[in-house]
Each structure stands twice: as structure tokens, then as C-alpha cells.
Amino acid sequence: MKYVSTLSVEEFRSALKKTFDASAPRGHIPELSQATVFCSKDSCTIACTNLTQWCQTTIPAQGDAFSLTFYDTRKLLDACSYFSGELRLEFYSNDSQSTSGRTSDNEVSIISNGRELHQLSLASDLIPPPKEFHPDHVYTINAGTFSNMFRQIQHAVSDDQNRPGTCCAQFIGNKMFALDGYRLSVRTIPGFYAEKPFLIPRKAMELLSVFGEADCTLSVGTEYMSVKNGSTRLTSRIPAEEPFPLESAIPTTFSTECVVEVSSVQKAMRYLIKMSGSRFGREKKPVRLSDGHFSICGNTGLYRATAALDPIPDIEIGYNPRYLLEAFESLSLKMSGTVKMGFTTPVGPTLLTDEAGRMEMILPVRLKDETPKFYHIQQSGAA
């Protein structure tokens, strides 16, 4: 049986590229690596999913009702760059279906401006539709603002799937934050207040880029959330966990504080990380802060760097150098010249804050003897 739908090339290519580039996973399941279209008599919805997130865009169309999953979406996108004007989508369906979801007679033809593309298609009923849910709370957000703030905190998002809550951006009141058990990153969202704490998975936060700088509707339910602007919609599952109690984790009193020049610490950390690279081993080296100097012990020597701290803190403490660098780099995204660095104890959290209220917290690590160990390569004797 033959089905036909007619639509604009530009609208089709833009919607397909936005949806496919944003959310089509690359994997061993063909159906999940391609875009699916659902055509009706007056619209065409293009969708991609990884079974946790769904991204879809609807554009005007005229024709029959049918659905299909493309066999090679990337090649189709390439072909669309040579099409113009009107696009004719023809789908030839056969009722007999193979175990792979593909049939020898299921074919899609795309025709525009004297150019044609013919491909096999995959069965669209293998792709589950996005979940419809009743939201508990609905907010208006700016996608660009949320995306920008997530980029600032994403270094503290965990990859530990055994703790799904730490793999998310978390929201309490007007705060967006992330923590992985070793560090915490917090930002204040202007003009936003969460009536009830909630979480959004990392991948869903990354997909907000499909909305650009547009204002969107954020709907949050018990198991799902969605973001919508016009004809584009993102839906995602959310973990059944309560967000971390943020206020109780942030220290309010400090044994010593100092003002730190952000760029000086960044340069010091890059130098020490580079110089401490294990030449003959793969040990992780902590960086030590003492007497206003950062130092690290590598396999071939001891390395030190001075940073601008005022006053010099009366404490000796160790950090993961990569975590410390990422915290200062995150604060530098909005050009913070200086930040306040508050120390509790040598084994307690360190808090970084700037004038805009952005916050980074890092847990210290245990320090070892700073005497460098030297490893020598044994020279083979002459033959």
C-alpha cells in the first residue's frame, strides 16, 4: 500500500536535524539510532528516543496517515541539503514483516526538485511513544538560561548509575545544583522558584540546546518531566528520588578565609597537573596547599606554584587537583576575577563563593609524605 505526505523541505530538514542531532543515540539497536516520523492528514511529527528521553518536533504537512522509521537518517539529512521547495514523502508498506523489524518491500521515497532518495524503512511500532503524564507543577523557563547554568555545574554531575540522583541537575527553590559525593556546584536561577524540589537527568539538560534561547514551558510530574516550545517537545523520565538537602550541606562558619585570584589558581593547577603526570606509574597525586603555595609530588620530583591568596590561609590541606581546577574554571565562565575561599578544617569542606552568589564546594583528600620518589630506568647491558 502506498502512502503520501507533502511538506516543506526547509521545515522538514530543520526539524529532522534538530531532533536527530539532539537525541538519537548511537548504538547497536538500529531503530534507536534513527528518526521516526508520524504523519497525519495535516502534520508530520519527527521523533527520536533512547527510551529515557524523547525529543519530537511537529511541522505542517498534507496527506495520508502513516508512520515509519528511517533506515539511514544521516544520509537523508545529507540529501535534504540538495532539495528545495516542496518535499514529497512516499511510503510503500507491506503487511509481512521480518523478525528484524525490516521488510523487503517497505520502502520510503523522498522526492524534491527533480532529485530522489529511495531507502528501506524500519518498523515504527518498535519505538514507544513519549509518555503522556499529568504534571504536578508547571513553570515558564528560558532554555538558554537553564542550559548556561547547567554548563557551569555539570562538572559535579556524577556518572554513578547506582546513585541516579547524583546523575541529575537538582532544583530546590531558586537553586540549580549538582553533587557527586566529592564536590558540590550551586547556581541561583534568576526569576525562577521551584515550588517543590525536583531532578532532571543530565541528558535531558543537555537536550535543552534544541530550544536555543527560547522561553519554554517546563512541566514536572512524579515520574516524567517535559519541556515544550511551540511544536518542539522534550520528555524525560526522572529518578524517583528526593533532591539532596542542600542547605544542611553548606558550611556557614570557617576557621580561616581568604580572597583568591581565580586565574592564578587556574594557572597553578594546570602547571602542577601537567608536571605531576606519572611517567612510570598511574598513581593519583593530591595537591597540597600550605603557606600560600600549591605543591604536588610527582614520580620524578616535587613541584610548587604560587597563587594570589590574601591573606595567606593558616591551614595545610589537600585536594584532588582536577576537581580544584574544574571548580575555578566553572567560576571563571562568568569572568569572576576573585572569589572568597572559606576553610573549615583540614578534613572538612572548602567553600568557594563569588559576588554573584555562585558557589563551589570541595571535599579535601588525605595528604601523604611530600618526599619525592624517583624511579630509574634500568639500562640494558651491552651485547
Side-chain angles (χ1 to χ4, degrees):
M1 185 174 292
K2 177 181 177 180
Y3 302 89
V4 178
S5 184
T6 303
L7 53 162
S8 162
V9 168
E10 287 303 316
E11 291 180 337
F12 178 76
R13 183 177 186 276
S14 176
L16 181 62
K17 181 175 176 58
K18 177 189 296 185
T19 306
F20 181 70
D21 287 352
S23 60
R26 308 296 183 259
H28 300 295
I29 305 176
E31 292 79 5
L32 292 183
S33 300
Q34 305 299 333
T36 299
V37 296
F38 302 90
C39 292
S40 67
K41 64 178 182 179
D42 58 5
S43 68
C44 175
T45 297
I46 303 168
C48 289
T49 181
N50 59 9
L51 301 184
T52 300
Q53 283 85 34
W54 291 261
C55 187
Q56 63 185 63
T57 301
T58 301
I59 58 175
Q62 292 184 340
D64 302 320
F66 62 95
S67 62
L68 64 96
T69 298
F70 292 115
Y71 183 69
D72 189 343
T73 309
R74 180 62 62 191
K75 189 65 70 176
L76 171 57
L77 273 171
D78 292 341
C80 283
S81 63
Y82 294 93
F83 295 163
S84 62
E86 186 177 86
L87 182 145
R88 181 179 174 88
L89 181 64
E90 298 181 353
F91 176 53
Y92 302 87
S93 174
N94 187 333
D95 292 335
S96 62
Q97 183 172 321
S98 70
T99 57
S100 67
R102 189 186 313 155
T103 68
S104 58
D105 296 327
N106 271 13
E107 181 181 311
V108 58
S109 297
I110 298 177
I111 305 166
S112 174
N113 195 31
R115 297 182 174 90
E116 301 181 10
L117 177 148
H118 303 272
Q119 288 185 355
L120 295 179
S121 68
L122 303 171
S124 62
D125 56 0
L126 297 177
I127 307 299
K131 178 72 175 180
E132 297 297 331
F133 67 96
H134 179 72
D136 298 324
H137 299 283
V138 178
Y139 308 96
T140 298
I141 65 168
N142 181 270
T145 299
F146 266 52
S147 293
N148 177 56
M149 291 200 165
F150 180 70
R151 284 193 293 271
Q152 296 180 41
I153 69 166
Q154 65 180 345
H155 61 278
V157 178
S158 174
D159 293 322
D160 185 358
Q161 297 301 320
N162 293 319
R163 300 184 299 159
T166 64
C167 302
C168 300
Q170 306 192 35
F171 298 83
I172 292 180
N174 63 348
K175 307 294 185 186
M176 177 195 298
F177 67 97
L179 76 163
D180 61 7
Y182 305 97
R183 53 207 172 148
L184 168 70
S185 184
V186 186
R187 298 295 183 269
T188 301
I189 311 171
F192 176 83
Y193 191 89
E195 298 177 26
K196 181 182 178 180
F198 62 91
L199 303 89
I200 299 181
R202 176 205 289 265
K203 183 61 177 176
M205 291 299 298
E206 293 172 346
L207 290 178
L208 288 178
S209 60
V210 303
F211 299 101
E213 299 292 326
D215 289 335
C216 303
T217 300
L218 168 63
S219 302
V220 182
T222 304
E223 299 180 53
Y224 294 86
M225 56 74 60
S226 70
V227 179
K228 185 176 182 180
N229 171 262
S231 61
T232 302
R233 180 186 179 194
L234 164 67
T235 304
S236 176
R237 299 179 189 270
I238 54 178
E241 290 187 20
E242 289 293 325
F244 183 77
L246 180 62
E247 296 299 328
S248 63
I250 300 173
T252 56
T253 58
F254 305 95
S255 61
T256 183
E257 294 180 288
C258 65
V259 175
V260 185
E261 185 181 283
V262 173
S263 62
S264 70
V265 177
Q266 288 179 276
K267 293 174 183 177
M269 288 305 104
R270 293 187 188 119
Y271 165 72
L272 294 175
I273 290 171
K274 178 67 175 179
M275 299 310 297
S276 68
S278 299
R279 187 176 176 186
F280 307 109
R282 296 187 179 275
E283 303 167 76
K284 292 183 178 179
K285 307 292 185 181
V287 63
R288 180 189 304 259
L289 172 60
S290 179
D291 296 327
H293 300 279
F294 288 102
S295 60
I296 198 164
C297 185
N299 283 336
T300 57
L302 177 64
Y303 307 95
R304 288 181 180 161
T306 301
L309 293 82
D310 183 28
I312 294 175
D314 183 20
I315 195 170
E316 184 174 51
I317 191 168
Y319 301 103
N320 179 314
R322 180 64 61 183
Y323 290 176
L324 194 62
L325 175 60
E326 289 177 345
F328 276 92
E329 285 184 336
S330 174
L331 291 170
S332 71
L333 290 176
K334 284 294 183 178
M335 302 304 292
S336 289
T338 60
V339 299
K340 182 180 290 186
M341 195 169 187
F343 305 89
T344 53
T345 69
V347 294
T350 298
L351 193 67
L352 307 175
T353 54
D354 67 4
E355 293 181 353
R358 296 181 302 162
M359 187 182 304
E360 300 286 331
M361 191 174 78
I362 310 171
L363 293 181
V365 298
R366 184 169 63 90
L367 289 171
K368 298 180 180 179
D369 180 26
E370 207 171 45
T371 303
K373 298 177 181 179
F374 296 95
Y375 296 85
H376 302 280
I377 302 176
Q378 291 187 351
Q379 301 294 331
S380 58

